[in-house]
Amino acid sequence: MTPKLPHCDQLPVVLPPLTYELLSSWICRHAVFYGVQPVTMLRHCLSDASSMREIDFRRTTKQAACIAHVFRTDATVVRQMSFANLCPDSHRWIAAKPMQFCANCRHQANSKGPEPVSRSQLLGWRITCSQCGSPLSDNEGNAVASPINSNWNEALNGQRLIDDEAQHGVQSWAPPMELARLLLMRRDPRTSNAAPNGNPRLLGAVLPEIDAVLANSRIVLPSPAKPILPLMLRPALLAAVAILERQGPFMLARLEERMIDQNRSRFRELAATMLCIPPEPVELSYLQHI
């Protein structure tokens, strides 16, 4: 028999959240425990809630207080379990469903219910577990491994840079997430020494080895609009971000030389915006001055 759940009543039994567990995952585990649909459990807390994913991203202070009341916890705990505290620019880096896991932390899963989902499983810039620091594995069980293994330490530095920006708004001369997106822009194919794959990116201008990896595989890099890479290629992008951040703004000028046509103009605009450079004044004709 399905238990009755009057709106906003506190739950008699509350399952403890696991470290770094996602808010929607915690609510879903309670739904299974009480024998109701996840959306029913969510609306028990918030009558106007529309989706589980929305509560992970756009949770207000009032909503956090309501959820904390129902689950008999502190609103701070609820806030820390969602993505609402991350900067909005980081949302494009968050997957719609788990795409990786930590083998070392998986033993924490409750065998009597659904497997909890941690925040790290959806973060598209992570290559190591937020909890224990172990390399992540993809959903096929393949452990993360960079095609350019010598740059692993650089990749960890790039992960830290994006973490600091996403969670604390910390950045140096440029936003690391924007640097990563620039690296995914198409570049002039004539600047690639590898077998042509029809779609070379600026990433290969910083780490030339990646051109050969992509040319010899069926992997297609995503666009800058959706910058989440497969786990095996993610370390290369993070390493390139760390290299660009360390070498400074002059590297953007070198990368611009690898662009062509409209992509070059677009790159110049994005770089200027990133560096807060005002647009060049447009020269007016004599008639325009009148």
Side-chain angles (χ1 to χ4, degrees):
M1 181 176 178
T2 301
K4 185 179 180 181
L5 294 173
H7 176 59
C8 284
D9 276 6
Q10 289 187 318
L11 298 177
V13 177
V14 174
L15 307 175
L18 301 182
T19 306
Y20 292 103
E21 185 173 10
L22 192 61
L23 180 58
S24 59
S25 169
W26 193 43
I27 295 174
C28 284
R29 289 200 295 122
H30 282 87
V32 172
F33 180 83
Y34 282 96
V36 299
Q37 293 297 317
V39 70
T40 301
M41 179 60 69
L42 178 59
R43 288 175 179 166
H44 173 62
C45 310
L46 308 170
S47 59
D48 59 345
S50 59
S51 71
M52 301 299 292
R53 183 169 174 82
E54 182 179 0
I55 204 64
D56 284 331
F57 284 88
R58 289 174 286 277
R59 181 247 333 118
T60 66
T61 301
K62 183 178 179 180
Q63 288 174 326
C66 291
I67 295 172
H69 168 75
V70 171
F71 290 93
R72 294 189 289 153
T73 188
D74 190 89
T76 303
V77 174
V78 174
R79 287 194 294 269
Q80 291 173 343
M81 296 176 72
S82 74
F83 297 124
N85 290 337
L86 297 184
C87 71
D89 287 346
S90 68
H91 289 183
R92 71 176 75 242
W93 292 82
I94 301 175
K97 58 183 180 180
M99 58 186 304
Q100 58 221 14
F101 68 92
C102 174
N104 286 341
C105 295
R106 211 169 207 182
H107 69 275
Q108 293 189 44
N110 183 357
S111 59
K112 297 181 180 180
E115 183 176 334
V117 177
S118 72
R119 296 167 83 249
S120 288
Q121 289 181 264
L122 274 70
L123 298 180
W125 66 84
R126 296 292 311 185
I127 55 176
T128 61
C129 175
S130 300
Q131 183 175 349
C132 70
S134 300
L136 295 171
S137 300
D138 61 24
N139 289 333
E140 282 71 46
N142 301 312
V144 60
S146 173
I148 306 97
N149 292 323
S150 61
N151 287 288
W152 179 253
N153 288 335
E154 292 280 21
L156 293 178
N157 190 32
Q159 176 182 253
R160 177 189 59 79
L161 290 171
I162 294 183
D163 255 341
D164 287 345
E165 180 188 5
Q167 300 190 60
H168 309 294
V170 177
Q171 54 186 253
S172 58
W173 62 271
M177 284 185 285
E178 287 302 303
L179 289 178
R181 294 181 64 206
L182 287 181
L183 288 165
L184 291 176
M185 293 186 69
R186 293 181 175 88
R187 77 178 200 268
D188 187 345
R190 294 170 295 183
T191 65
S192 174
N193 294 323
N197 63 354
N199 195 15
R201 308 299 179 92
L202 279 178
L203 175 58
V206 179
L207 296 176
E209 302 93 328
I210 202 67
D211 283 340
V213 172
L214 293 174
N216 296 323
S217 72
R218 297 181 180 180
I219 298 175
V220 178
L221 291 181
S223 71
K226 297 180 180 180
I228 301 178
L229 268 64
L231 195 58
M232 69 166 292
L233 293 180
R234 211 173 294 170
L237 179 61
L238 293 172
V241 168
I243 292 170
L244 283 185
E245 193 275 340
R246 184 177 65 254
Q247 295 190 354
F250 88 95
M251 279 293 293
L252 295 183
R254 291 182 58 185
L255 291 179
E256 184 184 326
E257 296 173 356
R258 305 295 184 96
M259 308 298 286
I260 191 172
D261 300 332
Q262 293 182 350
N263 274 345
R264 186 167 192 171
S265 299
R266 180 60 178 157
F267 178 91
R268 187 181 298 116
E269 292 173 2
L270 293 174
T273 301
M274 184 188 308
L275 299 174
C276 299
I277 300 173
E280 295 182 3
V282 178
E283 293 186 7
L284 301 178
S285 67
Y286 175 76
L287 290 177
Q288 287 174 307
H289 279 289
I290 298 176

